[in-house]
Amino acid sequence: MKSLVVEYITMERLYHATLFALYQVTLLCGIALLPLALLTRRVGVRLPVDRAVLGIKEAYEMRRSTGN
């Protein structure tokens, strides 16, 4: 039974770390794509980078607020 608890805690930490890394990568991509997004906006095309960053941010903050 104890090994199941340890495994659960390990999986929770792995999930949290993966979510944090994904959030950081999406921020980096958003910053890197900013010049392209500004150029495409002038033409009338909108890149959905902000939705990706906000979605990952919400998932990370929701996970962080639960204390896990």
Side-chain angles (χ1 to χ4, degrees), residues 1-30:
M1 183 70 174
K2 186 176 180 181
S3 66
L4 290 176
V5 172
V6 171
E7 185 177 326
Y8 176 76
I9 292 171
T10 304
M11 292 303 291
E12 285 291 315
R13 287 184 181 172
L14 179 63
Y15 178 77
H16 185 75
T18 303
L19 194 57
F20 179 71
L22 186 59
Y23 176 57
Q24 294 295 318
V25 168
T26 56
L27 283 178
L28 181 65
C29 289

Side-chain angles (χ1 to χ4, degrees), residues 20-67:
F20 179 71
L22 186 59
Y23 176 57
Q24 294 295 318
V25 168
T26 56
L27 283 178
L28 181 65
C29 289
I31 292 169
L33 290 174
L34 183 62
L36 179 63
L38 293 174
L39 287 174
T40 58
R41 181 175 278 177
R42 286 187 172 204
V43 184
V45 179
R46 187 172 178 270
L47 295 179
V49 175
D50 59 331
R51 288 189 294 171
V53 172
L54 289 176
I56 297 296
K57 178 185 176 190
E58 288 175 6
Y60 176 72
E61 287 179 348
M62 183 175 22
R63 183 56 134 184
R64 201 172 97 184
S65 69
T66 61

